[in-house]
């Protein structure tokens, strides 16, 4: 046993020394992981695969998904699609399975995109819910009805505990499926999604709508039970002049509602919610955001409304990262950084999650707010008031991984790896949270990068 213990210590020292050497050779305290795995080809799963199965029964509801329906977590928006006919708009729900004492009625709509005609899209607001309560709900008619459940968050409280999953750039490949299944294993209570949903825009004509439908069925195993807080990416823009489709975000906006009115936003693409002890702000990287635009004016007001005594954790979601040391999409988030970074530091944002780059990267707390073209150092410096910037655009879509990190690794970059995966943020109380990035590794979920986050306000 002593021999085994001695060998174990030697192995641990060897691993530690290799990490230290990596840090020193890079000239900073950051780590660039050499691990790269492409488990399966980056191709979409065939449409006849069981992961896209249409539920049994005539006109059975499909593509079921829920999101927060109000500002403080006492409502959900439930969405689903019926293909053959409109069917019922009603949600039946209650506190025990099979016993639905309450009902709520929603709306139904459909739309065309080129020569594709959508199914009937239902959206129903279920409000007046109790905190920390499991609700069971049923949608559809007769033998084709389907049953699901969801859990409301705890009451707004600075010492509430809550666990978020974070996913970006998902798509519908076998790697996407691995990410989705691994995230389900974590016990995350809600998902923060940082844009690029279906990648249907990589198809043409009628197939664009078809792949929006398949993705809705693909993610239903999670979205029907866990609220996903949506944000839009560049693949949701879908600007296709050759098809006569020139209105941005049409498919996305018809299918994925957000509670934007609850935070007095004028657009579903940017909004805010409070959940447990977190204040979550969703921004749109592909909408106007410079001074005096609607998004800029809304964010200025929303940041002033944040009450860190009640929601000590301040989290921002966007698609294009402000800090990125990968060759892929390098500097694309710079214009938004120039406009908003000063506010992020002023209000002590804890975390900024982004996607877009198909690799993982985490920054230290840094800012570059001193530089103004005519004066100040033009490089990021340590800043205790700044957020941690995390890029998690590695969900698994068909475009594959972004393998080329810039060399040398910038001083602001703490850890980076070109692999598929997802993150979790487990908020413990007003002062501490535990963060993990989980790599997809041969069908297993492997916690790879982690740290204890100290709340900026407290």
């Amino acid at each position: 046993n002593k021999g085994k213990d001695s060998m174990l210590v030697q192995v641990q020292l060897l691993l530690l020394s290799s990490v230290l050497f990596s840090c020193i050779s890079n000239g900073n305290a950051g780590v660039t992981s050499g691990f790269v795995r492409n488990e399966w080809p980056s191709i979409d799963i065939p449409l006849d695969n069981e992961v896209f199965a249409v539920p049994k029964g005539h006109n059975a509801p499909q593509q079921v998904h829920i999101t927060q329906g109000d500002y403080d977590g006492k409502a959900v928006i439930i969405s689903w699609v019926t293909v053959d006919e409109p069917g019922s708009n009603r949600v039946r729900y209650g506190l025990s399975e099979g016993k639905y004492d309450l009902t709520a009625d929603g709306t139904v709509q459909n739309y065309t995109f080129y020569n594709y005609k959508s199914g009937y899209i239902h959206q129903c607001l279920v409000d007046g819910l109790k905190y920390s309560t499991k609700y069971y709900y049923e949608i559809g008619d007769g033998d084709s009805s389907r049953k699901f459940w969801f859990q409301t968050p705890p009451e707004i409280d600075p010492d509430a505990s809550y666990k978020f999953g974070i996913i970006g750039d998902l798509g519908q490949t076998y790697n996407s499926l691995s990410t989705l299944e691994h995230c389900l294993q974590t016990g995350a209570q809600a998902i923060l999604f940082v844009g690029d949903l279906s990648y249907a825009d990589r198809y043409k004509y009628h197939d664009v709508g078809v792949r929006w439908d398949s993705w809705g069925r693909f993610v239903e195993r999670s979205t029907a039970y866990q609220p996903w807080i949506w944000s839009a990416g560049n693949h949701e823009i879908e600007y296709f002049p050759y098809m006569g489709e020139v209105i941005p975000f049409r498919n996305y906006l018809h299918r994925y509602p957000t509670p934007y009115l609850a935070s007095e936003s004028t657009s579903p693409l940017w909004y805010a919610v409070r959940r447990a002890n977190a204040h979550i702000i969703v921004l749109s990287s592909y909408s106007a955001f410079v001074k005096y635009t609607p998004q800029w004016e809304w964010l200025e007001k929303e940041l002033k409304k944040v009450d860190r005594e009640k929601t000590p954790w301040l989290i921002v979601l966007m698609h294009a990262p402000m800090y990125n040391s990968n060759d892929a999409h390098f500097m694309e988030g710079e214009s938004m950084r120039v406009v908003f970074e000063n506010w992020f530091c002023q209000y002590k944002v804890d975390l900024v999650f982004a996607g877009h780059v198909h690799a993982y990267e985490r920054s230290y707390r840094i800012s570059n707010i001193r530089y103004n073209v005519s004066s100040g150092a033009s490089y990021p410096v340590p800043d205790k008031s700044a957020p941690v910037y995390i890029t998690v655009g590695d969900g698994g879509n068909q475009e594959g991984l972004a393998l080329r990190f810039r060399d040398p690794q910038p001083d602001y970059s703490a850890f980076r790896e070109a692999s598929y995966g997802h993150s979790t943020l487990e908020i413990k109380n007003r002062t501490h949270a535990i963060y993990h990035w989980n790599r997809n590794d041969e069908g297993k979920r492997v916690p790879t990068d982690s740290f204890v986050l100290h709340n900026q306000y407290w």
Side-chain angles (χ1 to χ4, degrees):
N1 287 337
K2 288 183 179 179
K4 290 181 180 179
D5 291 343
S6 176
M7 183 177 293
L8 179 60
V9 170
Q10 291 177 33
V11 170
Q12 291 172 333
L13 289 173
L14 179 63
L15 289 171
L16 177 61
S17 64
S18 67
V19 171
L20 291 173
F21 177 78
S22 173
C23 297
I24 294 169
S25 63
N26 284 335
N28 54 59
V31 174
T32 299
S33 169
F35 183 97
V36 176
R37 180 179 299 280
N38 190 342
E39 295 180 40
W40 300 286
S42 291
I43 57 174
D44 281 342
I45 301 172
L47 287 172
D48 60 358
N49 191 283
E50 63 181 0
V51 299
F52 300 133
V54 175
K56 296 178 181 179
H58 172 72
N59 208 42
Q62 59 171 269
Q63 305 174 49
V64 183
H65 54 90
I66 64 174
T67 191
Q68 186 161 318
D70 65 350
Y71 198 53
D72 287 335
K74 295 183 70 177
V76 297
I77 302 172
I78 302 176
S79 304
W80 70 95
V81 174
T82 54
V83 174
D84 304 304
E85 56 191 84
S88 172
N89 292 332
R90 179 162 293 180
V91 173
R92 302 172 292 278
Y93 65 102
L95 298 178
S96 59
E97 190 171 7
K99 187 177 181 181
Y100 308 111
D101 302 322
L102 304 168
T103 61
D105 292 315
T107 62
V108 62
Q109 61 171 330
N110 60 359
Y111 70 99
T112 57
F113 191 85
Y114 185 62
N115 65 354
Y116 164 85
K117 185 176 181 180
S118 75
Y120 298 94
I121 301 170
H122 302 255
Q123 295 173 358
C124 182
L125 175 67
V126 180
D127 57 6
L129 302 174
K130 299 178 181 178
Y131 287 119
S132 300
T133 303
K134 188 173 185 178
Y135 286 90
Y136 298 84
Y137 69 99
E138 181 182 42
I139 52 178
D141 300 312
D143 294 337
S144 299
S145 64
R146 301 184 66 199
K147 301 175 177 64
F148 306 93
W149 56 262
F150 62 85
Q151 176 90 24
T152 55
E155 186 175 358
I156 301 296
D157 181 88
D159 287 314
S161 61
Y162 203 75
K163 189 171 189 177
F164 293 100
I166 304 98
I167 300 176
D169 300 69
L170 188 57
Q172 41 195 310
T173 70
Y174 291 101
N175 293 306
S176 314
L177 179 60
S178 183
T179 294
L180 193 60
E181 290 181 340
H182 291 164
C183 193
L184 284 169
Q185 296 169 9
T186 65
Q189 296 158 279
I191 305 297
L192 307 178
F193 192 84
V194 292
D196 282 0
L197 287 70
S198 67
Y199 285 79
D201 67 331
R202 290 179 61 84
Y203 292 82
K204 293 184 177 182
Y205 306 113
H206 187 269
D207 288 341
V208 176
V210 170
R211 275 298 180 173
W212 271 106
D213 288 332
S214 64
W215 193 81
R217 295 192 296 272
F218 176 66
V219 296
E220 185 187 85
R221 70 198 65 209
S222 171
T223 58
Y225 304 91
Q226 301 163 290
W228 285 43
I229 310 300
W230 301 106
S231 59
N234 57 295
H235 283 277
E236 280 71 72
I237 298 173
E238 297 186 322
Y239 176 72
F240 299 135
Y242 71 93
M243 292 167 53
E245 294 292 347
V246 294
I247 300 175
F249 303 106
R250 277 196 69 218
N251 283 299
Y252 172 76
L253 291 175
H254 274 99
R255 293 168 182 266
Y256 293 93
T258 63
Y260 69 101
L261 294 176
S263 57
E264 300 178 343
S265 168
T266 55
S267 170
L269 298 172
W270 58 86
Y271 62 99
V273 295
R274 305 198 304 176
R275 196 166 186 89
N277 56 0
H279 195 119
I280 301 161
I281 291 176
V282 178
L283 298 179
S284 177
S285 297
Y286 303 100
S287 303
F289 53 76
V290 297
K291 196 169 185 179
Y292 307 127
T293 60
Q295 186 171 196
W296 184 93
E297 292 197 340
W298 172 83
L299 181 59
E300 183 183 37
K301 293 177 182 178
E302 184 64 28
L303 285 170
K304 292 176 181 178
K305 288 163 55 178
V306 177
D307 185 351
R308 303 298 281 269
E309 299 287 332
K310 295 180 178 178
T311 52
W313 295 93
L314 181 53
I315 300 168
V316 173
L317 311 182
M318 62 180 62
H319 187 63
M322 290 183 173
Y323 286 94
N324 164 40
S325 65
N326 198 296
D327 281 345
H329 307 301
F330 185 64
M331 295 287 287
E332 285 186 21
E334 179 66 8
S335 54
M336 183 174 269
R337 183 197 67 76
V338 171
V339 176
F340 289 149
E341 185 182 23
N342 190 59
W343 283 351
F344 290 177
C345 295
Q346 176 185 345
Y347 290 95
K348 296 187 177 180
V349 171
D350 293 288
L351 288 158
V352 176
F353 289 109
H356 200 39
V357 181
H358 300 165
Y360 171 73
E361 185 165 16
R362 170 174 60 88
S363 80
Y364 296 110
R365 293 193 186 278
I366 44 87
S367 71
N368 194 11
I369 57 178
R370 299 181 305 172
Y371 180 61
N372 64 4
V373 179
S374 61
S375 64
S378 59
Y379 52 83
V381 296
D383 187 340
K384 292 182 179 180
S385 295
V388 174
Y389 294 89
I390 296 177
T391 300
V392 61
D394 49 9
N397 65 81
Q398 63 176 229
E399 291 181 333
L401 292 168
L403 300 173
R404 297 188 304 275
F405 285 111
R406 299 176 72 84
D407 188 36
Q409 183 174 7
D411 289 342
Y412 65 75
S413 178
F415 186 92
R416 56 188 190 173
E417 178 175 307
S419 296
Y420 298 113
H422 72 282
S423 296
T424 58
L425 176 67
E426 188 172 3
I427 298 175
K428 294 296 188 179
N429 51 38
R430 75 182 68 194
T431 61
H432 291 81
I434 299 174
Y435 170 85
H436 281 98
W437 175 66
N438 304 276
R439 174 204 296 151
N440 300 347
D441 186 359
E442 294 185 347
K444 299 178 181 178
R445 173 176 57 89
V446 181
T448 303
D449 181 38
S450 63
F451 68 102
V452 176
L453 190 67
H454 299 266
N455 183 270
Q456 287 296 78
Y457 178 83
W458 287 98

